[in-house]
């Protein structure tokens, strides 16, 4: 994350305390450009208010780290346990998700104070208790990765909130980048065979990234860059949004019910297609990767192009040999950038758009959720979702890795989802 | 309106400028206890955010008084014409009502500035232009009465917004009044005959209060006080909310669909029935008038009691002989008060609760809406609404008169609606 | 009712037994052209299947006349009490209205048998019990008028059922009438004053037609014929369905939500507007009265024309001096006919279309529902409905009188509702 | 299929003409116990009326086999192309699925005639044209398997139609079987490794059963019989329907939204749990396999039992070594039967209940839909569905094989879905 909202990047090799502070500070920095009014509204049931994200991530540390572990600690406000639980059934009743936007109090001042008091107590916990408690260190680690996820959610949610305002406000003013020049996509082949999939055990991973196991693949290839807006305009010009045979049955139904005729946030104007982004309302740049498309659209595009989407295993088999670092967006971006020059390897693998895969979100063989309430983190969502891989322009830098499994329903468009093609070989 | 939010009462006999300033100042005073977050949320489609009320009333003056009349005046922001039009079809497209709570910008600071700039221009207009323009003076007058209506809406809306918050916040802290002691209701008889109904032409009235015309009444009587919470508890104890034969067909359907078992804002607790009001969560006071009941409930109560509701003509025939003044709530109340001692006349006629009448909201014979967009003010709502008469605890003092016709759908409960009984004689 | 489905008109002066047999026979005759499949379907929640009408009218006699009154009588099937109760809360639980179309058994053969057995028992009752029991005779009388209402409902419901079938089937084949030639409408004036309204006590009337009482009217006039399809085409050509200022607020909302651009059952074809009727799909005849319009449309038309709708009292004041007989449709019609030549009196008052009035459906002063379950017949619907007067092309002949109050919600269009204009004088 | 509705089993080795006649005759035999009313109703959007199934299967032969192939053939009724297309976008517009129950005409007599005339033409086609046209023979073959699918749909749909009738009618009267005696389930182990999955190419298969490909499995075991109603009663007694941690997130939401507390068609009575089946309303038999459970319930049961569901690949790896024949239900059953005595192999693999697998419905590697409209048969449904394997009590005998992939949304319960457990080894 960079530019005007650029934050102290969380030092990946710092101490746990240093990393705690850095992650927590970034959340506040991301919220800083937003007014109290901006932070209160829920523009659709999937979206949560900014102030809810700020409070919920704090509640996570309070509930799973402080309570019962820091001697003498008492919850800041007993009502928060109900208001700021997201979906953990094992820690009690919770406020209904679609009503998060109805809660005007606590306001942003009280939530800033809540964060301050929990951070103070966490300082204490990290200094005095955590050193002898590896289980607790693991929960703090989980809490940090959880908060990084919510940093991304905060940005994609506020993008939606601002988009429903007829005055089209921006999250952040910055110069519009120069339009890029797209090149032809190339293909990177993989011989198939038995490959190992899942987290190796080094560094942090969510439970759904394991157990590591073997999968048998047939020979395949993936495109060496993402599908561009220019290619998407061709798809639209070919009447794809009005051609039922290109679509999954549910996809076609959704296209008609929702009246889709372009990616989300695109607007037809007298001067051609424009797009409303966090940083501006500007013409669609044909060189940029397309983003804010549903799985239905990604799948239809692949069919139209004569190719297909990769499975998540194919994607991972290719991605493990590509360094994350050079692939991440440079500081200052809140939207994907055009592909860098071709170099024989897949480009834009990490950090531009989440890439829809052909894989339904299912447990790996032998998967067992963690015991206790944090076991509800991932496993209970393993139905009717599609896996996305990679990372996107609003994903915090330290939160990207080749085994990471993101997932959304096939109809979702408000996250930063895009497309990479694949083919049999 | 009084107490903590007490305002400079609009001087009814002041100059138009004085009255303009007083009415406008009261709106800001009513909003003052509310945070930016409170002022942004729309808790159901019927409710509008506080900041919308503040902006819409300002838009009314800008659109109908300033535009085209004050030389050199230019609208503060062209987008506001779309955002803050409520329902006037003749002045252009408008933002959909159910989405008023999604608009985070302009925020309350920009809206305060909007009000300031319009007030400045209105000062100018009132001094330089209005004196020679009786038509314009009439529009300013209409705008003031319009703003008074929205003062009441602002309070009934924020009561709903705060009620959906699980932490039950208050609008205003103040001491709970002592519980009253209800007396027996008496009856005030009227001989019937031909009576004149509607506004006489002195002072301001909305178009729906005329033309004045004659109606033939049969002999009847009305109760000399409002139905109390104590009487409502008897109705509930008699299983009325589970007895279909007491209800209109639509009413019984609604009771079941909504799960009603008491007036709105009542909560069953271990210590009996409590009520969430603007000023506190406190036990139901048996001596206070019941409020926040629908027409369906008012009608069912009347049937249960062996009586009926008065027609709006009966109500007016009685009310014209009772002075408004002594009937108004003393300053400092935001909820109805127990009846004063009986004195042979109907008590609590003005200023405690709006009284549901048996009359559907229909035009008086010869009714013609005003020409132009302000003609949309009342006439186009004349179907599927019931008339209420009187005024309530959150109605501004100068906004109460015997011929005033308020109206709501039969199922509505969030306004301050209560019950007075009537009977044939 | 006539032509192919012409029935033995119920002899209005016959014995009760004769009239019972005639009414019951007409129901069966009306159902005769319909297949088992036709009689089973419920095309929207407002509609009931034909076989349900046949069973429910039978249940009425069984429940209110036979049970407990005919010695030894036992209900034909105990399940029918649940399946065929329409809305009588006092006689027990009932099958939900929107699910009437899901009940495949009993089928039409069992329902024919149900009717036969109840008719047999009723013969017995009429001969042996009723002569000494005027209360029972009154219930039989009520049952007959009830069945006549359902004869009309059966026809308007089946018109809707057949209309949703893309193959546009007919209820009854018959020659298309010659298009008529509309004349100019004239006006019939009334001086106003105190008029008596409501049933005089001679002959049968529903409880909602009384008590007879006095109403004060201002001078007015009513049009001497109904609004025609030709006039409606002008209204449409003037873009009325896209002009919000012509409409009540709820009406405009409904026009947009439903996509209305013409009366119900009208279809735009390459050869102009056609209409799907019980007897054919044919060009709209400009001379025929418009029918299948909502109250919203009737009200908008009146506004557009510079006039208004009559109140139900104005209508009745005029209608009492016009003989019903000559106004009824000749046998053989299932749709309204062009106006006969002008003769200085209002034409088409009875038997062509139900005429929307400006009056909300409210109880007359002093109204008391009948005691017991039959008291649920009318009173509990007295909110959010508009009164219609007259009678229509599918109303049985003996069921028409000047004091009859029909009522439907303002949005309803599937009954035979049309328009007569009125004006102040 | 057997007993009262027993049909001439389609001779699997007969000529195409013989098999055509046998399959077509079975459809008519299955419809025979149903009245015109039964065959018309659509009790929920997922359900189609019996007469629609009879017509749609006929339309399939008319559209894909007769049209353009049988010289001189003209469609029986041009309207049928619109009315009886299910979901084939490439052959034109179609009647909306949720409105299938509104079409009263054509009635069952006209549909019987439609079937007769198409069968006559097909006889011709099969004799004169098909012999030289292997492509056409393949389409006829597809049409027969398509009709067999609809035979099953017809029965599961009519079970739902009859279930919503408060009188609980039966499809077929027959003696209630003796309750069984459940034995302990055993486990059948599989060593894992690379297994071949998909159709081998011998005999008919749908396109989604291929291409045959290799999958890498870990060692596992499957239960040697289905989960029983007795085991399900224990699950219910352990409060499983009120324990959120047992459920997928969407599953828990659905349980609450739908008020589920047992499998579909179960009813709590004073004498314990009863079940409404095609052949009777009778006590739940603890020895019978549980059926009419959703994927959510199957998954929750597996979690509760400490095991898991098999993947579709594990299921197939085991099933290929088990003969279909001995596993099929004996004639005369319309519901699953208790497990036969254990014999060291998985029992009840085919023909009792469809077994929910842990696998989302996705294309096999290299999958390509057939060209033309019949390519819409399977592929376009490959998202948000779970695979079921086996076959059930209402599946026609010749329609069962180890590679068959059935699929339904996770919430569906009206098909005959049950549970077999699996475990890692």
């Amino acid at each position: 994350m960079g530019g005007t909202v650029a934050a102290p990047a969380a030092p990946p090799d710092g101490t746990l305390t240093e990393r705690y502070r850095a992650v927590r500070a970034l959340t506040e920095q991301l919220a800083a450009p937003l007014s109290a009014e901006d932070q209160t509204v829920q523009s659709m049931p999937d979206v949560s208010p900014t102030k809810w994200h700020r409070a919920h991530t704090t509640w996570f540390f309070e509930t799973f780290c402080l309570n019962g572990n820091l001697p003498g600690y008492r919850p800041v406000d007993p009502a928060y346990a109900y208001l700021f639980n997201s979906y953990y059934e094992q820690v009690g009743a919770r406020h209904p998700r679609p009503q998060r936007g109805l809660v005007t109090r606590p306001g942003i001042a009280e939530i800033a104070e809540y964060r301050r008091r929990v951070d103070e107590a966490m300082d204490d916990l990290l200094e005095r208790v955590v050193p002898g408690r590896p289980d607790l260190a693991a929960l703090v680690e989980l809490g940090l990765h959880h908060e990084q996820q919510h940093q991304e959610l905060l940005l994609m949610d506020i993008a939606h909130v601002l988009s429903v305002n007829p005055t089209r406000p921006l999250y952040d003013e910055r110069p519009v980048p120069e339009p890029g020049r797209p090149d032809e996509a190339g293909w990177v082949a993989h011989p198939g065979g038995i490959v190992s999939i899942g987290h190796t055990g080094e560094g942090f991973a969510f439970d759904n990234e394991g157990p590591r196991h073997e999968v048998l693949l047939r020979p395949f290839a993936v495109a060496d860059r993402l599908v561009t807006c220019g290619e998407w305009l061709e798809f639209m010009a070919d009447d794809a949004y009005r051609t039922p045979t290109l679509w999954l049955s549910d996809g076609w139904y959704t296209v008609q019910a929702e009246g889709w005729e372009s990616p989300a946030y695109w607007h037809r104007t007298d001067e051609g297609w424009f797009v409303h982004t966090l940083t501006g309302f500007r013409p669609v740049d044909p060189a940029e990767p397309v983003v804010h498309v549903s799985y239905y659209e990604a799948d239809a595009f692949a069919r139209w192009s004569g190719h297909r989407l990769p499975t998540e295993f194919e994607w991972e088999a290719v991605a493990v040999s590509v360094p994350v670092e050079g692939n991440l967006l440079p500081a200052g971006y809140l939207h994907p950038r055009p592909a860098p020059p071709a170099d024989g390897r897949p480009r834009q693998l990490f950090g531009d758009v989440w890439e829809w895969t052909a894989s339904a979100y299912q447990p790996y063989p032998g998967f067992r959720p963690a015991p206790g309430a944090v076991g509800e983190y991932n496993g209970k969502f393993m139905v009717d979702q599609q896996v996305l891989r990679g990372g996107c322009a609003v994903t915090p830098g330290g939160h990207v890795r080749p085994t990471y499994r993101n997932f959304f329903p096939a109809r979702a468009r408000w996250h930063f989802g895009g497309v990479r093609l694949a083919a049999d070989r």
Side-chain angles (χ1 to χ4, degrees), chain A:
Chain A
M1 208 64 44
T4 323
V5 297
D13 306 323
T15 64
L16 192 54
T17 299
E18 284 166 350
R19 288 193 294 114
Y20 178 88
R21 289 178 186 163
V23 168
R24 296 283 289 170
L26 177 54
T27 303
E28 292 302 87
Q29 190 169 358
L30 294 176
L34 300 168
S35 68
E37 293 90 337
D38 292 334
Q39 296 195 34
T40 299
V41 164
Q42 177 174 34
S43 50
M44 65 170 172
D46 285 330
V47 157
S48 296
T50 304
K51 74 186 179 80
W52 186 91
H53 285 299
R54 292 169 65 201
H56 165 68
T57 49
T58 306
W59 166 89
F60 191 99
F61 287 111
E62 184 174 64
T63 304
F64 295 118
C65 300
L66 293 174
N67 286 348
N69 291 316
L70 182 65
Y73 182 79
R74 293 182 48 196
V76 172
D77 188 321
Y80 293 179
Y82 177 80
L83 282 176
F84 300 128
N85 178 1
S86 53
Y87 57 67
Y88 297 87
E89 303 279 356
Q90 292 173 63
V91 294
R94 64 182 186 279
H95 192 239
R97 179 182 184 124
Q99 296 173 22
R100 286 178 188 164
L102 302 184
V103 177
T104 64
R105 307 185 197 174
I108 64 170
E110 286 132 308
I111 284 169
E113 173 67 8
Y114 180 35
R115 290 184 68 92
R116 205 190 52 69
R117 287 176 59 184
V118 164
D119 285 351
E120 216 169 75
M122 284 295 295
D123 254 2
D124 229 29
L125 188 88
L126 285 161
E127 187 183 342
R128 297 196 296 131
V129 184
V130 167
R133 291 274 305 279
D135 61 319
L136 211 46
L139 282 170
V140 175
E141 190 75 53
L142 179 63
L144 293 178
H145 286 270
H146 172 258
E147 184 141 351
Q148 286 185 313
Q149 287 187 313
H150 278 276
Q151 288 164 357
E152 175 168 340
L153 290 167
L154 184 159
L155 287 168
M156 63 192 243
D157 284 358
I158 201 68
H160 191 268
V161 167
L162 298 177
S163 79
V164 300
N165 189 329
T167 65
R168 292 210 184 103
L170 308 186
Y171 167 73
D172 188 23
E173 291 274 3
R174 65 182 60 183
V176 175
E178 288 296 299
R181 193 172 311 170
D183 59 7
E184 279 300 298
W187 292 92
V188 176
H190 188 286
I194 290 179
V195 298
S196 287
I197 294 294
H199 194 249
T200 57
E202 295 200 12
F204 176 85
F206 287 114
D207 57 359
N208 65 358
E209 298 173 51
R212 190 164 168 87
H213 66 290
E214 296 188 322
V215 168
L216 183 56
L217 299 180
R218 315 215 298 187
F220 69 95
V222 295
D224 77 340
R225 66 157 170 75
L226 296 167
V227 168
T228 63
C229 290
E231 289 162 338
W232 206 268
L233 288 164
E234 289 174 45
F235 173 66
M236 288 161 60
D238 198 28
D239 235 16
Y241 281 93
R242 278 181 297 276
T243 306
T245 50
L246 291 173
W247 298 81
L248 289 166
S249 180
D250 286 357
W252 180 239
Y253 173 84
T254 305
V255 163
Q256 295 179 288
E258 302 289 330
W260 288 349
E261 50 173 20
S262 72
Y265 303 143
W266 287 31
H267 297 263
R268 197 195 299 271
T269 76
D270 291 344
E271 297 156 67
W273 285 97
F274 271 56
V275 57
H276 186 204
T277 73
L278 285 167
T279 62
F281 186 70
R282 54 190 173 75
V284 165
D285 178 351
E288 278 182 15
V290 72
V291 65
H292 296 301
V293 295
S294 64
Y295 176 73
Y296 298 135
E297 289 161 291
D299 170 83
F301 182 92
R303 188 167 296 114
W304 172 80
S305 77
H307 303 107
R308 62 174 174 83
L309 300 177
T311 68
E312 64 166 323
F313 309 116
E314 292 170 338
W315 193 95
E316 186 171 327
V318 167
V320 287
S321 62
V322 174
V324 170
E325 291 316 312
N327 267 277
L328 280 185
L329 279 178
Y333 275 82
L334 285 171
H335 47 76
R337 90 222 117 146
D343 67 352
R345 289 189 300 189
R347 294 167 285 169
Q348 303 172 298
L349 266 183
F350 302 104
D352 284 275
V353 303
W354 288 103
E355 305 179 23
W356 284 109
T357 75
S359 300
Y361 181 44
Q362 299 183 120
Y364 287 169
F367 170 72
R368 289 275 177 287
V374 295
E376 297 184 44
Y377 205 99
N378 274 306
K380 74 181 184 184
F381 301 105
M382 289 177 171
V383 69
D384 289 355
Q385 312 260 359
Q386 289 298 121
V387 174
L388 301 100
R389 292 299 195 104
C392 79
V394 296
T395 311
H399 201 65
V400 170
R401 57 189 169 270
T403 59
Y404 195 107
R405 306 175 79 198
N406 200 353
F407 52 90
F408 277 94
R411 73 181 176 280
R413 310 212 296 176
W414 94 110
H415 64 293
F416 285 68
V419 187
R420 181 184 303 277
L421 296 173
D424 295 336
R425 270 294 145 96

